[in-house]
Amino acid sequence: MKNTIKKPSKTRKILTVLLLLAVLGCLTVSGLDLFVVKSTEKRILPAKELSGHAFDCALVLGAGVKENGRLSDMLADRMDTAIALYKDGRVPKLLLSGDHGREDYDEVNAMRAYALERGVPSSDMFTDHAGFSTYESVYRARDVFAVEKAVIVTQEYHLHRALYIAESLGVEAVGVSADLHTYRGQPIRDGREVLARVKDVFSCLFAVKPTYLGGIIPVSGNGEASLG
């Protein structure tokens, strides 16, 4: 009696291919995530190490604002960190970049009001109302506000991506962490950030254009020119 060897079924073959693709996808995501983190970690500095460097501004990346216009804890910490850099003379201007894509939601003017209340002059604050994403904020900082050298202010988990984008777009940047507190829901943000890093690797690779550009408002001038 001849031994018969069963050939793998078509279904098993498909499942094997799908499994291999899933493993390859996970390895790609993990590899790109690790690359973004490791390639930027040395450019995250304590504020005291900024002395002796000339920066155009601190680029403050937006985050959530409550219905009453109050800043979320994360955004308040970003603003407090940037205001301290300004008052210590480490940066000459603040560029506030966030989402103001709807009439009923405005991160940017809330950030500006917060800084005004703490003594930052209107002339030294620039507002970017179309910073709908980290990538768009950095892109517009370069092309709309003529930023060449910046201190990026956000929480550390977010800084890696922002610094990677800046380097890819030709903006010389370092980061200062705004981690002044522990934030609820951070494990979820960390997971989303892995996917966001991968997405922005490809955004940089393909030089994706932001939603809006517009006329140039150099950050070296008067911030009131950017009021919208």
Side-chain angles (χ1 to χ4, degrees), residues 16 167 198 222 228:
T16 300
E167 183 177 24
V198 173
N222 189 316

Side-chain angles (χ1 to χ4, degrees), residues 3-212:
N3 291 327
T4 57
I5 301 174
K6 282 188 175 182
K7 294 183 179 180
S9 68
K10 186 174 182 180
T11 301
R12 182 175 293 180
K13 287 181 181 179
I14 292 172
L15 290 175
T16 300
V17 170
L18 291 175
L19 178 61
L20 290 173
L21 289 174
V23 170
L24 180 60
C26 289
L27 290 174
T28 300
V29 168
S30 298
L32 290 175
D33 176 59
L34 183 62
F35 173 71
V36 169
V37 171
K38 289 298 182 182
S39 66
T40 56
E41 60 187 2
K42 291 183 179 179
R43 287 186 282 129
I44 299 175
L45 305 175
K48 63 183 180 181
E49 292 189 17
L50 302 183
S51 299
H53 298 275
F55 296 99
D56 298 328
C57 65
L59 170 59
V60 190
L61 300 176
V65 171
K66 299 176 183 178
E67 288 185 5
N68 61 4
R70 184 179 175 183
L71 307 190
S72 63
D73 291 342
M74 293 187 79
L75 185 52
D77 285 353
R78 295 178 193 185
M79 290 302 302
D80 287 340
T81 301
I83 291 167
L85 292 175
Y86 172 82
K87 290 187 174 182
D88 289 345
R90 302 186 193 280
V91 295
K93 303 287 177 68
L94 301 183
L95 173 54
L96 313 177
S97 183
D99 185 350
H100 186 192
R102 309 190 312 265
E103 287 187 11
D104 61 344
Y105 185 76
D106 182 355
E107 294 177 358
V108 180
N109 281 314
M111 294 162 74
R112 182 175 179 274
Y114 187 92
L116 283 172
E117 289 172 0
R118 286 153 182 79
V120 179
S122 179
S123 58
D124 284 345
M125 283 190 290
F126 287 75
T127 50
D128 176 10
H129 297 259
F132 301 130
S133 67
T134 305
Y135 178 82
E136 292 184 274
S137 290
V138 178
Y139 197 117
R140 285 174 52 82
R142 183 193 70 179
D143 282 24
V144 175
F145 296 94
V147 173
E148 297 178 356
K149 191 172 182 179
V151 180
I152 300 178
V153 178
T154 184
Q155 279 69 30
E156 185 168 344
Y157 83 98
H158 188 201
L159 272 174
H160 296 288
R161 177 160 57 104
L163 290 169
Y164 176 84
I165 293 167
E167 183 177 24
S168 298
L169 296 180
V171 177
E172 187 178 346
V174 298
V176 171
S177 170
D179 287 293
L180 305 184
H181 298 91
T182 300
Y183 310 103
R184 292 178 60 185
Q186 191 57 42
I188 295 173
R189 291 189 199 93
D190 289 339
R192 287 200 305 248
E193 185 65 15
V194 171
L195 298 178
R197 288 170 188 155
V198 173
K199 176 182 74 71
D200 279 339
V201 166
F202 289 99
S203 295
C204 293
L205 181 63
F206 294 105
V208 175
K209 299 290 185 185
T211 307
Y212 300 108

